[in-house]
Amino acid sequence: MIRGAEPTARLSGLIPPGSRAPQAVDLYPSQVWTVGRRDEEFLAARPELAATHLAVPDARPDLSVRQLELRVGTVGVAIRSQRGSSVVVDGIVRPEPVVLTLGTSYVSPTPSGQYVDFELTVLRAEDFGAPDTPDNSGTTLLLQINLERSSLAWTVGHALAWPCMPCRRRPHNAGWSGRDVANRLEQLGWTIAEQNLITVLGRQLHGLAERVANARLTDGRRADQVFPSWPPWLDEESSDETRDQRAERRNRYVAEALWRARAVSPDVIDGPLHRA
C-alpha cells in the first residue's frame, strides 16, 4: 500500500530545465525525463522535451540529447538507453531496462566512463503482506522456458511472476489478474504500450501461457508427455468459474512455471544484493 503524495525519487548531479548548474530534482510518479547533452537550438523547437530534460554537465557533442530515459513509477524508476545499449549502475553494466527500487544508486550517462555519475535515490517503498513462496515440487525445475532478455515477454513475465519471488519487496496482493500485472508495470515505471495497455498485456499473457503449455524439459521431452496433467492450470478447471477467474488461475500457474524454470529471477527487479 503506497502512503502519501511524496516524490518517488530524488536525483542529483544533473542540470534541470532553467538552471546552469546541477541541482537536486524530485521525481514524481508518471513523469518521463530525458538525460543527455543540452542542445539549446534542438530543445527550443521541442518545448515539451525541454521541460523534462536533465543535462549532463560538460557534455561533449558525441553525447545524445536523449541518451537515457527515466520513467517514474510509484515505487521505482526504470532507466532505458535511447540507443538500445546497456545502462551502467553502481559501476556494473546491466541490460536495459534497469529498474531501481528503494535505496541510492549511481548511474553513468554512458558506458564509456567519460562522464561523472549522477545519484538517484528511490525514496518510496511499499507495505506488503508475506504470501508464502510456492513450494518446490522437485520436478518443474526441469522445465526449459527461454525468454529473450529485454523483450516484451521478458518484461511482462517478471511482473507476472513477482508474487512468486523470494525477495524483500513482494506486493501485498496476489498479483495475478491482468489489472494487477498492469499496475505492477506502472508502479515500477515500465510501460509496454502507449495505448491499449490491457489489450497488449492480454496478448502477452496468452503468449506466455502458450509457452508453458508447449514447454519441454531440459532433456528435450515435451512436458505433456511427462507430467500426468499438462498444462497445470487444467487440473482445477471448474464450470462454475468466470472467464476472469480462469484467466487469473492460469496466470498464477504460468508465473510459477516461469519462476521455477528460471526464466525470471528476483534480482532483475529487486536490484543487486548489496542494495538496502
Side-chain angles (χ1 to χ4, degrees):
M1 180 181 298
I2 308 303
R3 296 175 178 170
E6 302 172 349
T8 296
R10 183 165 294 125
L11 178 150
S12 59
L14 297 175
I15 306 171
S19 300
R20 294 186 175 276
Q23 294 181 15
V25 179
D26 286 341
L27 309 182
Y28 289 87
S30 301
Q31 289 183 332
V32 180
W33 294 84
T34 52
V35 175
R37 174 175 52 87
R38 177 161 293 171
D39 184 324
E40 300 294 354
E41 184 177 346
F42 180 83
L43 293 173
R46 298 164 179 82
E48 289 186 4
L49 176 62
T52 56
H53 184 265
L54 299 166
V56 175
D58 303 318
R60 300 174 179 83
D62 61 336
L63 185 70
S64 170
V65 174
R66 293 184 257 194
Q67 184 70 29
L68 298 178
E69 179 185 83
L70 312 181
R71 287 186 175 266
V72 187
T74 54
V75 295
V77 178
I79 305 178
R80 282 188 165 91
S81 169
Q82 288 293 298
R83 295 181 174 180
S85 60
S86 302
V87 177
V88 180
V89 178
D90 295 331
I92 301 171
V93 179
R94 297 168 61 180
E96 59 139 24
V98 174
V99 176
L100 302 181
T101 50
L102 188 65
T104 298
S105 299
Y106 296 88
V107 184
S108 175
T110 71
S112 68
Q114 294 181 338
Y115 300 97
V116 176
D117 296 353
F118 61 90
E119 180 181 300
L120 199 156
T121 300
V122 177
L123 305 170
R124 302 182 68 182
E126 47 192 339
D127 295 329
F128 56 87
D132 294 333
T133 302
D135 293 331
N136 183 350
S137 70
T139 55
T140 52
L141 285 174
L142 298 174
L143 283 171
Q144 182 73 40
I145 302 174
N146 295 319
L147 298 179
E148 184 181 347
R149 290 185 74 85
S150 300
S151 67
L152 185 53
W154 183 82
T155 299
V156 173
H158 279 83
L160 176 67
W162 179 266
C164 298
M165 295 179 177
C167 58
R168 294 182 299 277
R169 288 184 287 275
R170 288 176 296 180
H172 63 278
N173 57 16
W176 283 301
S177 73
R179 178 63 64 181
D180 285 335
V181 178
N183 288 343
R184 170 56 50 182
L185 290 164
E186 185 180 3
Q187 281 186 342
L188 293 170
W190 270 334
T191 55
I192 60 174
E194 294 302 325
Q195 296 178 341
N196 298 323
L197 175 68
I198 299 300
T199 301
V200 174
L201 177 60
R203 195 159 57 242
Q204 289 299 316
L205 293 176
H206 279 293
L208 290 170
E210 204 168 297
R211 288 187 186 226
V212 171
N214 296 314
R216 291 180 176 270
L217 305 191
T218 51
D219 60 10
R221 291 178 296 168
R222 286 196 345 235
D224 61 0
Q225 294 176 334
V226 177
F227 296 104
S229 178
W230 196 265
W233 54 85
L234 295 182
D235 256 352
E236 300 173 15
E237 199 166 54
S238 167
S239 58
D240 296 332
E241 285 182 318
T242 66
R243 184 181 65 175
D244 287 346
Q245 286 172 331
R246 283 197 299 272
E248 186 168 344
R249 184 166 45 78
R250 179 206 64 193
N251 290 346
R252 174 167 56 88
Y253 278 106
V254 170
E256 291 176 7
L258 290 175
W259 177 49
R260 290 176 175 169
R262 299 182 181 177
V264 297
S265 61
D267 58 356
V268 174
I269 293 177
D270 205 37
L273 295 177
H274 70 272
R275 294 262 318 278

